Amino acid sequence: KESDEIFPCPASLKKNVQFWKDVFTRYYTYQVVLHDRDDLDIRFVIIDFKKEFSGKKYGKRQKRTVINKYKEKYSAILSRLEKYKGTGAELSGDARRVFKMFKDVKAGNKFRRAKRNIRAQGGLKDRFRKSLALRGKYIEKIHEILREEGLPVEISALCHVESSFNTLARSKYGAAGIWQFTRSTGRHYLRVSYSVDERKSPYLSTYAVAKLFKGNYEELRSWPLTILEIGRASCRER
């Protein structure tokens, strides 16, 4: 497919791509995946807050407490495995399960390193479903603009990640709209003031994104690198 030529997936990234597919299509926002930061195939546990709180309401602080509890649990298991010299036959329960996860990892310090690499990632399945519904309202015109400006239409998928296609989305750093333009970058291409904020227009902001992307692509000649560089620049602004 043409999209595979524009955005090829190297073999080294396939596990990472599958992980993020699962985040968007398998795990819900009330779930958190506790995983290894380096090897995304290693998923220690799926924390389900509905079960943790028996269907009752909970807040961010309560979620963090539960996540930390599980991090401590698996850190303790990894500490035990760090000193373990057996074949795994004597192990049971979660210790045995975790030991098997690392059976193909050759590094001698794999369990010590894994303790530092425990990371929590929230699911997005239900949010992604909602964004697909919102996408339907705008995508035809967005694709038309991208084609008109000579950009691959696959770039529109970034709106799922940036804003879930919510035109009123605003980040804690002040980025706004479906493309999440910051004020400083947005002002190069759009009217951004207290009275008018064109970042909220799905179509004007798409024209603006096209200009931003084309300028970077002319220098890099690679769409994946262009997206990466714009993402890095956005992070530096924030």
Side-chain angles (χ1 to χ4, degrees):
K1 293 188 299 184
E2 184 181 352
S3 59
D4 292 333
E5 295 176 7
I6 298 172
F7 298 102
C9 181
S12 60
L13 290 180
K14 284 186 176 179
K15 288 196 297 186
N16 300 49
V17 170
Q18 185 57 54
F19 175 82
W20 288 105
K21 280 184 178 180
D22 287 346
V23 167
F24 278 87
T25 62
R26 181 177 175 186
Y27 304 123
Y28 291 89
T29 52
Y30 57 81
Q31 296 175 310
V32 163
V33 186
L34 217 60
H35 67 93
D36 185 277
R37 190 184 302 271
D38 293 335
D39 189 339
L40 301 186
D41 265 359
I42 296 176
R43 306 179 195 183
F44 299 106
V45 67
I46 312 303
I47 305 169
D48 188 314
F49 294 113
K50 283 189 175 181
K51 293 179 180 178
E52 290 292 327
F53 297 104
S54 303
K56 297 176 183 177
K57 290 184 178 180
Y58 53 86
K60 290 183 179 179
R61 183 176 296 179
Q62 291 167 300
K63 283 176 64 176
R64 178 52 54 190
T65 298
V66 171
I67 291 170
N68 287 339
K69 178 187 73 174
Y70 277 98
K71 282 185 175 181
E72 289 169 6
K73 172 184 174 178
Y74 284 93
S75 181
I77 289 173
L78 291 166
S79 291
R80 177 184 169 191
L81 294 177
E82 190 180 347
K83 302 168 186 175
Y84 177 70
K85 303 300 181 184
T87 62
E90 308 89 345
L91 299 171
S92 62
D94 289 325
R96 184 182 180 88
R97 182 172 58 83
V98 171
F99 184 81
K100 286 183 177 180
M101 288 180 187
F102 287 85
K103 63 182 176 61
D104 295 326
V105 180
K106 304 303 181 185
N109 65 340
K110 59 185 179 182
F111 295 118
R112 183 169 68 252
R113 186 179 62 185
K115 281 194 299 183
R116 299 194 300 266
N117 281 346
I118 299 175
R119 180 181 179 273
Q121 172 61 50
L124 293 166
K125 181 175 179 176
D126 38 339
R127 187 177 298 172
F128 182 53
R129 279 180 174 173
K130 290 179 181 178
S131 75
L132 286 174
L134 286 173
R135 175 185 184 273
K137 296 169 62 176
Y138 311 115
I139 200 62
E140 187 174 340
K141 179 63 176 178
I142 287 173
H143 280 183
E144 180 184 321
I145 293 169
L146 293 175
R147 290 193 190 98
E148 177 185 324
E149 296 295 322
L151 274 70
V153 297
E154 290 83 359
I155 285 175
S156 63
L158 289 173
C159 295
H160 285 297
V161 179
E162 294 288 353
S163 65
S164 297
F165 277 89
N166 178 3
T167 58
L168 302 179
R170 181 177 291 275
S171 78
K172 62 182 179 181
Y173 301 105
I178 64 170
W179 294 100
Q180 288 291 281
F181 270 109
T182 59
R183 279 183 171 273
S184 55
T185 300
R187 282 175 173 152
H188 289 292
Y189 309 99
L190 299 159
R191 287 189 297 165
V192 180
S193 67
Y194 289 109
S195 57
V196 178
D197 192 345
E198 292 181 340
R199 294 178 299 170
K200 296 178 183 178
S201 165
Y203 307 130
L204 291 176
S205 63
T206 298
Y207 277 112
V209 151
K211 292 176 184 176
L212 172 63
F213 272 65
K214 281 199 293 187
N216 280 266
Y217 180 76
E218 286 173 5
E219 294 183 15
L220 299 170
R221 309 308 298 176
S222 163
W223 287 114
L225 285 179
T226 297
I227 291 171
L228 181 62
E229 179 53 35
I230 289 173
R232 285 176 174 171
S234 179
C235 287
R236 288 195 294 267
E237 281 188 45
R238 298 173 189 182

